[in-house]
Amino acid sequence: MGIFTRRNSSQDVTGTAAVTTLDVDPALAALTGDYAIDPAHSSIGFTVRHAMVTNVRGAFTDHEGSLHLDGSDPSRSTVSIDVKTASVDTGIADRDAHLRGADFFDAETFPLMSFRSTGAAALGGDTYRVTGDLTIKDVTRPLSIDLEFNGSATDVYGNQRVGFEGSTQILRSDWGLTWNAALEAGGVMVSDKVKLTFDISAVKQA
């Protein structure tokens, strides 16, 4: 069930459709509030094509963020996420060291990449689109992320949680991540296109 449920169109005495109103589920409206992303139960990952033939998957293991959810009007919801670039982890130490270096994230100079939302919209059902600004190194560009609302629950410690998952694609060159190497048979070592994935659990703050 989405944060927005269904639209009702009232009619005047002539039978002409009047103003369209929006029904809101009271239980979902009650989710309105501020939430902190729980990094222990959330993940921010990526997939990129390697050597034109396979995919390399990785994640950023150190991140924090906050959500403001408006269950009555999702367009008023906001998202803020900060990721430590040095936390990149693909399971291969040498590759991770290369990613942290100047060819890619230059984590020593630019320790954080960040996302700040500028808008949100309901797409229908449980799907929402968050738009905002993604900053990597010294480049800030707009980004849209489609997210599915997975529901809410009270955990064993009495915390109210909400969950979202989603993905988007970027061209890393748009953020100045242009390193590559040509392959002898043609093509390049690392694709420009990167898929970003998000699996978020957030806890309501008192």
Side-chain angles (χ1 to χ4, degrees):
M1 180 181 296
I3 289 178
F4 275 174
T5 54
R6 61 187 183 279
R7 294 181 182 273
N8 282 340
S9 294
S10 59
Q11 292 187 334
D12 61 23
V13 294
T14 66
T16 302
V19 176
T20 298
T21 60
L22 196 61
D23 287 345
V24 177
D25 186 327
L28 293 172
L31 297 178
T32 297
D34 295 318
Y35 293 76
I37 293 176
D38 176 7
H41 297 94
S42 302
S43 64
I44 298 175
F46 60 89
T47 304
V48 62
R49 182 77 72 179
H50 177 260
M52 310 294 290
V53 297
T54 191
N55 290 319
V56 169
R57 292 175 173 83
F60 296 94
T61 60
D62 194 346
H63 53 82
E64 61 182 16
S66 60
L67 315 175
H68 174 75
L69 300 184
D70 191 320
S72 299
D73 182 359
S75 68
R76 297 170 63 90
S77 299
T78 59
V79 181
S80 175
I81 300 176
D82 290 314
V83 176
K84 290 189 178 179
T85 52
S87 72
V88 63
D89 182 6
T90 65
I92 303 295
D94 287 346
R95 180 166 60 206
D96 295 343
H98 190 195
L99 291 172
R100 295 184 189 109
D103 284 340
F104 287 95
F105 292 112
D106 195 1
E108 185 172 344
T109 305
F110 303 100
L112 291 179
M113 63 178 177
S114 63
F115 177 79
R116 299 290 184 268
S117 67
T118 56
L123 300 183
D126 293 321
T127 305
Y128 302 87
R129 177 166 294 158
V130 177
T131 57
D133 294 323
L134 175 65
T135 300
I136 303 176
K137 300 175 78 171
D138 55 353
V139 178
T140 299
R141 294 180 60 89
L143 180 70
S144 294
I145 306 169
D146 287 352
L147 297 168
E148 182 177 355
F149 176 58
N150 288 338
S152 64
T154 301
D155 66 22
V156 296
Y157 302 105
N159 299 312
Q160 185 175 30
R161 291 178 177 267
V162 293
F164 294 87
E165 63 179 315
S167 64
T168 191
Q169 290 189 9
I170 67 170
L171 298 179
R172 60 188 179 89
S173 59
D174 286 345
W175 280 267
L177 304 179
T178 57
W179 182 90
N180 227 319
L183 300 175
E184 183 177 342
V188 292
M189 181 69 72
V190 185
S191 70
D192 194 20
K193 183 185 296 183
V194 180
K195 181 180 181 181
L196 303 178
T197 57
F198 307 87
D199 200 340
I200 302 298
S201 178
V203 177
K204 194 171 189 178
Q205 304 299 287

